[in-house]
Amino acid sequence: MARVLISMPEEFLNMIDNVAEGENRSRSELIREALRTYIYKQKIRQSTTANRNAELLEELLE
């Protein structure tokens, strides 16, 4: 697995650590899940936008 170095405010890191500890998992695991969720939501947004654009195009071509 690749390693990534990121910078963030200490307060934010503390919040991440508190959530990870509360869910009994590692900081890395929590951040990976957050990024997977973000990527999934981006794909949904892109798909929704593409569908909306296709519908608008169809209406214009009718």
Side-chain angles (χ1 to χ4, degrees), residues 17-30:
D17 288 341
N18 288 336
V19 172
E21 184 179 326
E23 296 182 3
N24 199 28
R25 53 184 165 167
S26 71
R27 176 192 294 167
S28 292
E29 187 178 0
L30 181 67

Side-chain angles (χ1 to χ4, degrees), residues 6-50:
I6 61 171
S7 300
M8 67 182 67
E10 193 72 31
E11 284 180 30
F12 191 56
L13 184 60
N14 289 337
M15 289 190 295
I16 290 169
D17 288 341
N18 288 336
V19 172
E21 184 179 326
E23 296 182 3
N24 199 28
R25 53 184 165 167
S26 71
R27 176 192 294 167
S28 292
E29 187 178 0
L30 181 67
I31 292 171
R32 279 193 301 270
E33 182 180 336
L35 289 171
R36 275 193 297 270
T37 301
Y38 177 82
I39 290 167
Y40 173 76
K41 287 181 178 182
Q42 282 297 102
K43 287 180 181 178
I44 295 296
R45 280 188 207 106
Q46 289 172 354
S47 176
T48 301
T49 300

